[in-house]
Amino acid sequence: MLLCIDCGNTNTVFSVWDGTKFICTFRTSTEHQRTGDQYFVWFTSLCDHFGLSPDIEAVIISSTVPRVVFNLRVLADRYWGVRPMVVGKEGCEIPVGIRVDQGTQVGPDRLVNTVAGFDRHGGNLILVDFGTATTFDVADHDGAYIGGVIAPGVNTSLEALHLAAAALPHVDISRPKKVIGTNTVACMQSGVFWGYIGLIREICDRIKAEHGREMKVIATGGLAPLFQQGEALFDAFEDDLTMHGLTVIYQHNARK
């Protein structure tokens, strides 16, 4: 079985692929000081809880936090005796082209999402990922990554608003019943929700106009369904987009 690990700035996700489907997905906070031993105890405890005993034969990692990768490598080597494949590192080839300015380093999560989107939906895509940042990645007609947009994440924006203005509370994002808020929380929720609706629509419209072709908009990340409510923003929502991309990249390299 293949263990796919997606390490983001906020959360790290482990998913086990049995060759046809993901049999489990577990999430933990990203902490660079967590050791390989701690990862193993956490992972196996959850597997035991759900009555699972996956036989891990390979590991692939995508990480936007370089300091975490070492301990994940230790985890794979010490407990499963495998050398993990790391997206963006030597020995891990990406099955789509990368056409950006010379010297530019593209985040591995963005490349993985592009690979997954192209595999499932073909080319000419806008991939919107709601994470710590809200990213818009563009896949060309042949699936090549050709650039994108990075905007502040929804929760990041809310936290910044709370920290910068002493009188404003921390609020959870939700769709407000009305645009015009009649209390502080409702005003903040309306500003963030409708502000991001406008941001998503405007950026996608401008990408489509600049690209000059019909494009599909694919969303991923926990907040995507919230922004889809009542608004035709996305052509599809893929909650396992990144994990699917990791399986595609692993299979591409395994065939070499």
Side-chain angles (χ1 to χ4, degrees), residues 147-168:
V149 175
I150 301 175
V154 179
N155 288 319
T156 304
S157 296
L158 278 170
E159 188 65 21
L161 194 60
H162 166 61
L163 292 175
L168 297 180

PDB file of all heavy atoms in Angstrom, residues 147-168:
ATOM      1  N   GLY A 147       1.433  28.920 -14.101  1.00  0.00           N
ATOM      2  CA  GLY A 147       1.398  30.048 -13.177  1.00  0.00           C
ATOM      3  C   GLY A 147       0.095  30.121 -12.415  1.00  0.00           C
ATOM      4  O   GLY A 147      -0.710  29.189 -12.437  1.00  0.00           O
ATOM      5  N   GLY A 148      -0.113  31.241 -11.749  1.00  0.00           N
ATOM      6  CA  GLY A 148      -1.336  31.366 -10.970  1.00  0.00           C
ATOM      7  C   GLY A 148      -1.370  32.624 -10.140  1.00  0.00           C
ATOM      8  O   GLY A 148      -0.700  33.615 -10.445  1.00  0.00           O
ATOM      9  N   VAL A 149      -2.133  32.562  -9.070  1.00  0.00           N
ATOM     10  CA  VAL A 149      -2.370  33.707  -8.190  1.00  0.00           C
ATOM     11  C   VAL A 149      -2.337  33.204  -6.753  1.00  0.00           C
ATOM     12  O   VAL A 149      -2.834  32.108  -6.464  1.00  0.00           O
ATOM     13  CB  VAL A 149      -3.744  34.355  -8.487  1.00  0.00           C
ATOM     14  CG1 VAL A 149      -4.045  35.477  -7.498  1.00  0.00           C
ATOM     15  CG2 VAL A 149      -3.814  34.863  -9.929  1.00  0.00           C
ATOM     16  N   ILE A 150      -1.764  33.996  -5.855  1.00  0.00           N
ATOM     17  CA  ILE A 150      -1.791  33.694  -4.424  1.00  0.00           C
ATOM     18  C   ILE A 150      -2.473  34.843  -3.701  1.00  0.00           C
ATOM     19  O   ILE A 150      -2.059  35.999  -3.830  1.00  0.00           O
ATOM     20  CB  ILE A 150      -0.375  33.499  -3.851  1.00  0.00           C
ATOM     21  CG1 ILE A 150       0.355  32.362  -4.568  1.00  0.00           C
ATOM     22  CG2 ILE A 150      -0.442  33.211  -2.349  1.00  0.00           C
ATOM     23  CD1 ILE A 150       1.805  32.188  -4.131  1.00  0.00           C
ATOM     24  N   ALA A 151      -3.534  34.523  -2.969  1.00  0.00           N
ATOM     25  CA  ALA A 151      -4.261  35.512  -2.181  1.00  0.00           C
ATOM     26  C   ALA A 151      -4.256  35.070  -0.718  1.00  0.00           C
ATOM     27  O   ALA A 151      -4.042  33.890  -0.422  1.00  0.00           O
ATOM     28  CB  ALA A 151      -5.698  35.648  -2.685  1.00  0.00           C
ATOM     29  N   PRO A 152      -4.497  35.991   0.212  1.00  0.00           N
ATOM     30  CA  PRO A 152      -4.561  35.580   1.622  1.00  0.00           C
ATOM     31  C   PRO A 152      -5.658  34.541   1.842  1.00  0.00           C
ATOM     32  O   PRO A 152      -6.715  34.605   1.222  1.00  0.00           O
ATOM     33  CB  PRO A 152      -4.893  36.892   2.352  1.00  0.00           C
ATOM     34  CG  PRO A 152      -4.473  37.972   1.425  1.00  0.00           C
ATOM     35  CD  PRO A 152      -4.703  37.437   0.048  1.00  0.00           C
ATOM     36  N   GLY A 153      -5.396  33.585   2.719  1.00  0.00           N
ATOM     37  CA  GLY A 153      -6.410  32.593   3.058  1.00  0.00           C
ATOM     38  C   GLY A 153      -7.546  33.208   3.851  1.00  0.00           C
ATOM     39  O   GLY A 153      -7.394  34.267   4.481  1.00  0.00           O
ATOM     40  N   VAL A 154      -8.685  32.555   3.828  1.00  0.00           N
ATOM     41  CA  VAL A 154      -9.870  33.081   4.500  1.00  0.00           C
ATOM     42  C   VAL A 154      -9.630  33.206   6.000  1.00  0.00           C
ATOM     43  O   VAL A 154      -9.835  34.272   6.602  1.00  0.00           O
ATOM     44  CB  VAL A 154     -11.084  32.175   4.225  1.00  0.00           C
ATOM     45  CG1 VAL A 154     -12.314  32.712   4.944  1.00  0.00           C
ATOM     46  CG2 VAL A 154     -11.345  32.076   2.728  1.00  0.00           C
ATOM     47  N   ASN A 155      -9.206  32.116   6.625  1.00  0.00           N
ATOM     48  CA  ASN A 155      -8.971  32.159   8.071  1.00  0.00           C
ATOM     49  C   ASN A 155      -7.808  33.071   8.430  1.00  0.00           C
ATOM     50  O   ASN A 155      -7.807  33.717   9.487  1.00  0.00           O
ATOM     51  CB  ASN A 155      -8.730  30.754   8.608  1.00  0.00           C
ATOM     52  CG  ASN A 155     -10.004  29.924   8.621  1.00  0.00           C
ATOM     53  OD1 ASN A 155     -11.066  30.419   8.964  1.00  0.00           O
ATOM     54  ND2 ASN A 155      -9.900  28.659   8.226  1.00  0.00           N
ATOM     55  N   THR A 156      -6.811  33.160   7.550  1.00  0.00           N
ATOM     56  CA  THR A 156      -5.696  34.072   7.765  1.00  0.00           C
ATOM     57  C   THR A 156      -6.186  35.514   7.789  1.00  0.00           C
ATOM     58  O   THR A 156      -5.762  36.322   8.625  1.00  0.00           O
ATOM     59  CB  THR A 156      -4.642  33.896   6.662  1.00  0.00           C
ATOM     60  OG1 THR A 156      -4.216  32.534   6.626  1.00  0.00           O
ATOM     61  CG2 THR A 156      -3.435  34.785   6.895  1.00  0.00           C
ATOM     62  N   SER A 157      -7.095  35.845   6.887  1.00  0.00           N
ATOM     63  CA  SER A 157      -7.651  37.196   6.825  1.00  0.00           C
ATOM     64  C   SER A 157      -8.456  37.516   8.077  1.00  0.00           C
ATOM     65  O   SER A 157      -8.351  38.613   8.640  1.00  0.00           O
ATOM     66  CB  SER A 157      -8.529  37.352   5.583  1.00  0.00           C
ATOM     67  OG  SER A 157      -7.762  37.212   4.409  1.00  0.00           O
ATOM     68  N   LEU A 158      -9.264  36.554   8.512  1.00  0.00           N
ATOM     69  CA  LEU A 158     -10.055  36.771   9.725  1.00  0.00           C
ATOM     70  C   LEU A 158      -9.160  36.971  10.948  1.00  0.00           C
ATOM     71  O   LEU A 158      -9.417  37.840  11.792  1.00  0.00           O
ATOM     72  CB  LEU A 158     -10.993  35.591   9.954  1.00  0.00           C
ATOM     73  CG  LEU A 158     -12.308  35.595   9.176  1.00  0.00           C
ATOM     74  CD1 LEU A 158     -13.003  34.255   9.319  1.00  0.00           C
ATOM     75  CD2 LEU A 158     -13.210  36.720   9.664  1.00  0.00           C
ATOM     76  N   GLU A 159      -8.121  36.165  11.039  1.00  0.00           N
ATOM     77  CA  GLU A 159      -7.212  36.276  12.177  1.00  0.00           C
ATOM     78  C   GLU A 159      -6.477  37.615  12.158  1.00  0.00           C
ATOM     79  O   GLU A 159      -6.302  38.260  13.197  1.00  0.00           O
ATOM     80  CB  GLU A 159      -6.205  35.123  12.155  1.00  0.00           C
ATOM     81  CG  GLU A 159      -5.329  35.014  13.383  1.00  0.00           C
ATOM     82  CD  GLU A 159      -6.112  34.675  14.643  1.00  0.00           C
ATOM     83  OE1 GLU A 159      -7.231  34.137  14.538  1.00  0.00           O
ATOM     84  OE2 GLU A 159      -5.588  34.963  15.740  1.00  0.00           O
ATOM     85  N   ALA A 160      -6.054  38.053  10.984  1.00  0.00           N
ATOM     86  CA  ALA A 160      -5.366  39.336  10.863  1.00  0.00           C
ATOM     87  C   ALA A 160      -6.291  40.479  11.256  1.00  0.00           C
ATOM     88  O   ALA A 160      -5.870  41.436  11.916  1.00  0.00           O
ATOM     89  CB  ALA A 160      -4.862  39.526   9.440  1.00  0.00           C
ATOM     90  N   LEU A 161      -7.550  40.404  10.861  1.00  0.00           N
ATOM     91  CA  LEU A 161      -8.527  41.439  11.213  1.00  0.00           C
ATOM     92  C   LEU A 161      -8.710  41.515  12.725  1.00  0.00           C
ATOM     93  O   LEU A 161      -8.748  42.591  13.317  1.00  0.00           O
ATOM     94  CB  LEU A 161      -9.854  41.122  10.520  1.00  0.00           C
ATOM     95  CG  LEU A 161     -10.924  42.216  10.472  1.00  0.00           C
ATOM     96  CD1 LEU A 161     -10.405  43.445   9.735  1.00  0.00           C
ATOM     97  CD2 LEU A 161     -12.173  41.679   9.785  1.00  0.00           C
ATOM     98  N   HIS A 162      -8.794  40.350  13.344  1.00  0.00           N
ATOM     99  CA  HIS A 162      -8.967  40.285  14.797  1.00  0.00           C
ATOM    100  C   HIS A 162      -7.744  40.837  15.537  1.00  0.00           C
ATOM    101  O   HIS A 162      -7.864  41.592  16.502  1.00  0.00           O
ATOM    102  CB  HIS A 162      -9.226  38.833  15.206  1.00  0.00           C
ATOM    103  CG  HIS A 162      -9.092  38.563  16.671  1.00  0.00           C
ATOM    104  ND1 HIS A 162      -9.874  39.171  17.629  1.00  0.00           N
ATOM    105  CD2 HIS A 162      -8.235  37.757  17.354  1.00  0.00           C
ATOM    106  CE1 HIS A 162      -9.532  38.745  18.829  1.00  0.00           C
ATOM    107  NE2 HIS A 162      -8.532  37.885  18.686  1.00  0.00           N
ATOM    108  N   LEU A 163      -6.548  40.502  15.053  1.00  0.00           N
ATOM    109  CA  LEU A 163      -5.323  40.922  15.725  1.00  0.00           C
ATOM    110  C   LEU A 163      -5.025  42.403  15.520  1.00  0.00           C
ATOM    111  O   LEU A 163      -4.459  43.063  16.394  1.00  0.00           O
ATOM    112  CB  LEU A 163      -4.143  40.085  15.225  1.00  0.00           C
ATOM    113  CG  LEU A 163      -4.160  38.601  15.608  1.00  0.00           C
ATOM    114  CD1 LEU A 163      -3.004  37.867  14.947  1.00  0.00           C
ATOM    115  CD2 LEU A 163      -4.091  38.426  17.125  1.00  0.00           C
ATOM    116  N   ALA A 164      -5.423  42.935  14.364  1.00  0.00           N
ATOM    117  CA  ALA A 164      -5.083  44.318  14.039  1.00  0.00           C
ATOM    118  C   ALA A 164      -6.050  45.328  14.639  1.00  0.00           C
ATOM    119  O   ALA A 164      -5.704  46.496  14.802  1.00  0.00           O
ATOM    120  CB  ALA A 164      -5.022  44.496  12.522  1.00  0.00           C
ATOM    121  N   ALA A 165      -7.263  44.885  14.917  1.00  0.00           N
ATOM    122  CA  ALA A 165      -8.275  45.803  15.458  1.00  0.00           C
ATOM    123  C   ALA A 165      -8.732  45.286  16.818  1.00  0.00           C
ATOM    124  O   ALA A 165      -9.417  44.257  16.899  1.00  0.00           O
ATOM    125  CB  ALA A 165      -9.454  45.917  14.495  1.00  0.00           C
ATOM    126  N   ALA A 166      -8.382  46.002  17.873  1.00  0.00           N
ATOM    127  CA  ALA A 166      -8.620  45.516  19.234  1.00  0.00           C
ATOM    128  C   ALA A 166     -10.096  45.302  19.533  1.00  0.00           C
ATOM    129  O   ALA A 166     -10.459  44.436  20.341  1.00  0.00           O
ATOM    130  CB  ALA A 166      -8.031  46.508  20.236  1.00  0.00           C
ATOM    131  N   ALA A 167     -10.973  46.056  18.893  1.00  0.00           N
ATOM    132  CA  ALA A 167     -12.397  45.970  19.200  1.00  0.00           C
ATOM    133  C   ALA A 167     -13.115  44.862  18.425  1.00  0.00           C
ATOM    134  O   ALA A 167     -14.286  44.577  18.690  1.00  0.00           O
ATOM    135  CB  ALA A 167     -13.079  47.308  18.911  1.00  0.00           C
ATOM    136  N   LEU A 168     -12.409  44.238  17.466  1.00  0.00           N
ATOM    137  CA  LEU A 168     -13.060  43.228  16.631  1.00  0.00           C
ATOM    138  C   LEU A 168     -12.774  41.831  17.168  1.00  0.00           C
ATOM    139  O   LEU A 168     -11.610  41.476  17.398  1.00  0.00           O
ATOM    140  CB  LEU A 168     -12.590  43.336  15.180  1.00  0.00           C
ATOM    141  CG  LEU A 168     -12.938  44.646  14.470  1.00  0.00           C
ATOM    142  CD1 LEU A 168     -12.426  44.621  13.044  1.00  0.00           C
ATOM    143  CD2 LEU A 168     -14.447  44.905  14.493  1.00  0.00           C
TER     144      LEU A 168
END
